[in-house]
Amino acid sequence: MSRTKLLNPGPVTLTDRVRKTFEREDLCHREPEFAALTLDVIGRLTRVYPETSDEYTAVLMTGSGTCAVEAMLASLVPRGAHVLVVANGVYGERAASMLEAHGKSFEVVRSGWLEPVDVAEAVKKLEGGGFTHCVTVHHETTTGRLNDLSAIGRACQARGVGLLLDAVSSFGGEEIRWSDWNVLGAAATANKCLHGVPGICFVVAKKGAFEGRSGAPSVYLDLFRYRKEQQTGWSPFTQATHAMVALQEALAELSDQGGWTARHAHYRALTARALGGLADLGVEVLLESPAAYSSILTSYKMPAGVTYERLHDHLRREGFVIYAGQGQFQGAIFRIAVMGDLAEADVDRLLRAIRSQLPS
Ligand SMILES: *Cc1c(COP(=O)(O)O)cnc(C)c1O
């Protein structure tokens, strides 16, 4: 059976291997099997990037990616902290709104959504001192831009500023330089580059981050509560048990396929094919150059004479779900993500379906 291919940035088209986990026995979250499963998933998550296997732990929660980002910012930014937010899209702005909602002290270095993050200004601010934490987005899904964090990370490292990363759409698919960037915590989700099902999200954080007091002005979003109980596999609240089983299988599959570097190479190949094919059709990329994009998602200007709705509906009938622009880009662009069970032949089929909709 040929399934609809989801080209939105998560949830992804599941592989059969992950889908089959739904046929297993149902689990109670208060039974020892579930605690063992949770510990296994924590171990696997900290081994996705070998660099994190000793010094970091993973804290698992039930919720979407935003839940992990918000719990990370709530808990790992203590009272009295001062945060620099570096934003160039929907998700950077969302991080700032969270700090605002939590009553935390922060400043934003803001760029337009078509621009890279303002590295010079961010580094200047960090070197000026006074910041305890820096928050930014690794892969800004608004446009598909992979933010270059090397100089910002170096400045964080030099100043002892903890970097809190929204890695929701990059964890498992792009390189994260944990120690060079002084990453204190990175938030992500089961249902993007890891190819699990929605329901479980997580924060990979330095074990030492849990030594002080939690900054969380919240009970449910307090990572310290989860961390305390999860050291033995338990969780304070009901977890999405089926999604946890699926995540375990998805992580086993990732490892069997060669880990994040192999997945990155696969995404790169699919994205290069989409970029090349669409360029041949005269469809323009939204950003300044194809090199600005992550391996995971690309964005394109709507071709003249084609509306998003018409293109979307046609592709839907052909078995593909593409993704619209957010905010200022609504109606003006379309996005293609290559996460999930997707092969080069699917991209070729997609290109043919798009070609049929272009004015001749
Ligand atoms: C998907 C995503 C999120 C989280 O979105 P949810 O809808 O809560 O899953 C956060 N940040 C980035 C960069 C994302 O791509």
Side-chain angles (χ1 to χ4, degrees):
M1 182 181 111
S2 161
R3 297 187 190 278
T4 297
K5 295 293 181 183
L6 299 181
L7 306 177
N8 49 290
V12 301
T13 309
L14 298 180
T15 62
D16 288 336
R17 178 169 169 181
V18 170
R19 190 187 305 275
K20 280 207 178 77
T21 62
F22 285 94
E23 288 161 19
R24 292 191 202 159
E25 192 89 76
D26 301 316
L27 286 180
C28 169
H29 69 295
R30 297 279 174 223
E31 290 292 318
E33 304 96 283
F34 190 73
L37 167 67
T38 301
L39 287 175
D40 181 67
V41 170
I42 291 171
R44 288 177 186 276
L45 282 172
T46 57
R47 290 192 302 271
V48 169
Y49 294 91
E51 216 190 320
T52 62
S53 60
D54 292 332
E55 234 194 302
Y56 291 76
T57 186
V59 182
L60 292 154
M61 302 177 80
T62 287
S64 76
T66 303
C67 169
V69 176
E70 186 151 25
M72 174 176 77
L73 299 187
S75 311
L76 300 187
V77 175
R79 252 161 245 171
H82 187 48
V83 185
L84 186 69
V85 180
V86 188
N88 64 335
V90 169
Y91 297 99
E93 297 295 338
R94 187 178 291 175
S97 331
M98 288 169 179
L99 293 167
E100 172 89 51
H102 305 162
K104 306 219 159 153
S105 164
F106 68 98
E107 269 178 58
V108 187
V109 170
R110 186 171 271 125
S111 304
W113 292 6
L114 289 177
E115 289 161 25
V117 284
D118 190 341
V119 172
E121 185 62 19
V123 167
K124 195 171 110 196
K125 292 258 185 208
L126 290 167
E127 286 176 349
F131 292 99
T132 54
H133 299 77
C134 177
V135 177
T136 194
V137 179
H138 189 205
H139 169 215
E140 189 40 274
T141 320
T142 315
T143 56
R145 186 187 294 278
L146 187 68
N147 282 326
D148 179 1
L149 301 182
S150 49
I152 293 172
R154 218 166 26 242
C156 285
Q157 180 67 270
R159 281 276 166 181
V161 170
L163 183 66
L164 297 173
L165 204 56
D166 173 342
V168 178
S169 61
S170 57
F171 189 96
E174 292 287 348
E175 180 174 39
I176 300 176
R177 302 184 70 94
W178 299 83
S179 101
D180 290 351
W181 301 345
N182 205 37
V183 179
L184 180 64
T189 184
N191 59 284
K192 292 200 187 189
C193 303
L194 296 181
H195 300 182
V197 309
I200 295 290
C201 63
F202 59 91
V203 178
V204 171
K206 280 207 177 122
K207 288 177 184 161
F210 298 99
E211 275 157 18
R213 275 184 53 193
S214 174
S218 165
V219 172
Y220 195 74
L221 293 181
D222 186 357
L223 277 187
F224 284 56
R225 273 178 191 263
Y226 290 80
R227 162 71 178 150
K228 190 158 166 256
E229 296 204 27
Q230 277 178 14
Q231 299 205 26
T232 49
W234 304 102
S235 291
F237 314 108
T238 307
Q239 295 276 23
T241 49
H242 301 82
M244 192 75 86
V245 177
L247 177 56
Q248 181 189 44
E249 198 62 34
L251 287 164
E253 187 171 50
L254 173 65
S255 165
D256 290 349
Q257 289 173 345
W260 81 263
T261 50
R263 182 150 297 172
H264 175 75
H266 174 64
Y267 288 162
R268 266 264 156 263
L270 295 175
T271 285
R273 211 167 179 93
L275 279 167
L278 286 167
D280 289 346
L281 296 176
V283 179
E284 288 174 48
V285 289
L286 176 68
L287 295 179
E288 69 280 6
S289 134
Y293 288 97
S294 69
S295 64
I296 296 154
L297 181 142
T298 41
S299 54
Y300 303 88
K301 297 177 189 163
M302 286 311 302
V306 184
T307 64
Y308 178 79
E309 286 67 31
R310 214 189 77 195
L311 182 63
H312 168 273
D313 294 354
H314 173 73
L315 294 175
R316 189 82 183 74
R317 286 190 295 273
E318 296 290 318
F320 297 102
V321 173
I322 56 166
Y323 210 50
Q326 283 158 292
Q328 68 197 66
F329 297 132
Q330 197 140 27
I333 68 166
F334 66 96
R335 292 181 282 176
I336 293 177
V338 297
M339 293 173 273
D341 188 26
L342 195 71
E344 296 198 345
D346 298 314
V347 176
D348 293 344
R349 211 157 46 80
L350 172 76
L351 290 167
R352 285 195 297 275
I354 293 176
R355 186 173 58 197
S356 75
Q357 292 303 292
L358 298 179
S360 42

